[in-house]
Amino acid sequence: MPFLGQDWRSPGDQWVRTSEGWERLRLWRIKVFENLNENVVARLIRMALADSGPHRQTMERRQPHIFYNKGTTKERKELVSLSEALLRLDMAGAVKDIRRANFVCKLLQLIFEGKLANLSGTAQKHVFHILEATVNEAVRTEMNFGPVKKLIIQAEQALENGKDSHIGSNCLWNQHIQMLIKLSNKLADYQLKEREKDSRILLSDLPQDCLRQILFQIADHRDVIHTGQTAQTLHIVSQESSLWRNLCLFHFSGRQLLTFLPKHVDSAETLDNVDWKYIYKRCYK
């Protein structure tokens, strides 16, 4: 079904009828691939890589992307909607990638904080589809339950705040509420399984020198604090002054540190006696 706009600069678009209503053809094709079985997708990828030849390494490094034009002219008018961006960037599949999962959670947090009611109905569907994929991945991997629960709470507040001023039908808004109830129940009913005694080494069993080098690689102080709350040995290492000194030097400039450093600091020996965790808290605020 071709649709041609009255604007001569608009190329129009093709639409296809699905069980959920009319959708643009180019976005529908992307959703078809998203709903394929993981085994089928893996097989298609292997076949594509086998035929790629010398371009195989380039294809493996290729990330989902979109082309965004900052400005438009009379001769060129190309706009990218939020729903199209979420599909093309594969946000629902990104929750399975540890390198992109935190970015997806932050994006959902920004949307739920005050933009959900202003989104189109299609964009709202994609947002809750991503939220559902995030919850399913958390249950499957038994990881990131804290951030996911916060997203559920923020989504509930967003639905409550926008119930009288949202874009789209009330039926669609009620579907979001029902989905959120289902996801909340799924998290509440899930019980974390204790690890069986398999005689394998644990993180807390490593020497303190190894633990110290691992924590030195963490750039976020919240991750350091949460790691220290898991075991007594990790708590001791996470409280060391040298660790917080590295965090201070990594995040803040010398001028910022001099603002809160004691005035009597004038040598390396006195620097070792400084409460670097306190300095970090003051600079972070």
Side-chain angles (χ1 to χ4, degrees):
M1 172 183 167
F3 172 76
L4 301 178
Q6 296 180 357
D7 191 347
W8 63 272
R9 293 166 294 182
S10 176
D13 211 337
Q14 291 183 340
W15 293 71
V16 61
R17 187 169 187 175
T18 65
S19 59
E20 299 178 356
W22 289 93
E23 293 188 11
R24 279 182 286 184
L25 180 61
R26 54 179 177 175
L27 300 183
W28 175 77
R29 290 171 178 169
I30 299 175
K31 291 181 66 176
V32 168
F33 282 98
E34 283 188 350
N35 295 329
L36 287 177
N37 187 292
E38 293 184 0
N39 297 329
V40 177
V41 175
R43 183 180 178 184
L44 292 175
I45 292 176
R46 288 196 300 268
M47 294 173 60
L49 292 178
D51 297 337
S52 61
H55 303 289
R56 178 172 182 175
Q57 294 182 354
T58 304
M59 293 180 64
E60 290 178 347
R61 295 195 302 267
R62 188 178 182 87
Q63 293 290 336
H65 65 282
I66 58 173
F67 291 102
Y68 175 73
N69 295 321
K70 186 176 182 181
T72 59
T73 63
K74 293 182 178 180
E75 290 75 20
R76 184 191 68 182
K77 185 177 182 180
E78 184 176 351
L79 302 177
V80 179
S81 63
L82 178 61
S83 58
E84 183 176 356
L86 294 177
L87 276 177
R88 290 189 176 276
L89 294 177
D90 190 22
M91 289 298 178
V95 298
K96 299 180 181 179
D97 188 351
I98 192 173
R99 298 169 297 178
R100 302 175 63 196
N102 291 333
F103 174 80
V104 176
C105 290
K106 186 63 177 179
L107 176 63
L108 293 178
Q109 178 183 352
L110 293 175
I111 292 175
F112 291 144
E113 283 179 352
K115 302 183 183 300
L116 180 64
N118 299 327
L119 299 182
S120 64
T122 304
Q124 293 175 16
K125 289 182 182 179
H126 293 322
V127 168
F128 280 92
H129 176 64
I130 296 171
L131 180 61
E132 183 180 13
T134 305
V135 173
N136 293 335
E137 184 65 15
V139 172
R140 187 182 69 85
T141 60
E142 299 183 350
M143 296 174 58
N144 298 326
F145 273 89
V148 171
K149 289 181 179 179
K150 290 181 180 179
L151 286 176
I152 294 294
I153 295 174
Q154 291 175 343
E156 292 176 350
Q157 295 175 350
L159 291 176
E160 180 65 24
N161 296 334
K163 63 180 180 180
D164 297 326
S165 60
H166 61 83
I167 297 177
S169 64
N170 292 329
C171 180
L172 179 61
W173 202 256
N174 291 330
Q175 290 179 8
H176 299 333
I177 296 175
Q178 295 299 323
M179 176 180 287
L180 203 57
I181 294 175
K182 182 182 70 173
L183 296 178
S184 300
N185 294 335
K186 188 172 186 178
L187 286 178
D189 297 339
Y190 185 79
Q191 298 292 334
L192 287 174
K193 301 177 183 178
E194 293 187 4
R195 177 175 174 177
E196 299 180 357
K197 295 182 179 181
D198 51 6
S199 68
R200 295 182 179 180
I201 190 172
L202 302 177
L203 179 62
S204 56
D205 296 333
L206 295 175
Q208 288 194 4
D209 291 338
C210 296
L211 296 176
R212 192 175 295 109
Q213 293 301 321
I214 293 174
L215 293 182
F216 278 169
Q217 307 303 319
I218 300 178
D220 194 336
H221 70 280
R222 292 170 293 187
D223 294 335
V224 174
I225 295 175
H226 293 161
T227 304
Q229 294 173 348
T230 58
Q232 182 65 27
T233 306
L234 291 169
H235 176 72
I236 295 174
V237 177
S238 65
Q239 298 297 319
E240 291 185 358
S241 180
S242 58
L243 174 63
W244 291 97
R245 179 181 177 179
N246 287 349
L247 287 174
C248 289
L249 297 177
F250 178 80
H251 287 285
F252 308 113
S253 62
R255 178 177 297 181
Q256 291 174 313
L257 295 176
L258 288 174
T259 306
F260 301 104
L261 279 174
K263 297 182 179 180
H264 64 274
V265 175
D266 54 0
S267 63
E269 295 181 359
T270 54
L271 282 175
D272 294 335
N273 298 326
V274 173
D275 188 355
W276 287 102
K277 187 175 181 179
Y278 171 78
I279 300 297
Y280 185 92
K281 290 181 179 178
R282 295 297 304 272
C283 293
Y284 185 78
K285 290 180 180 180

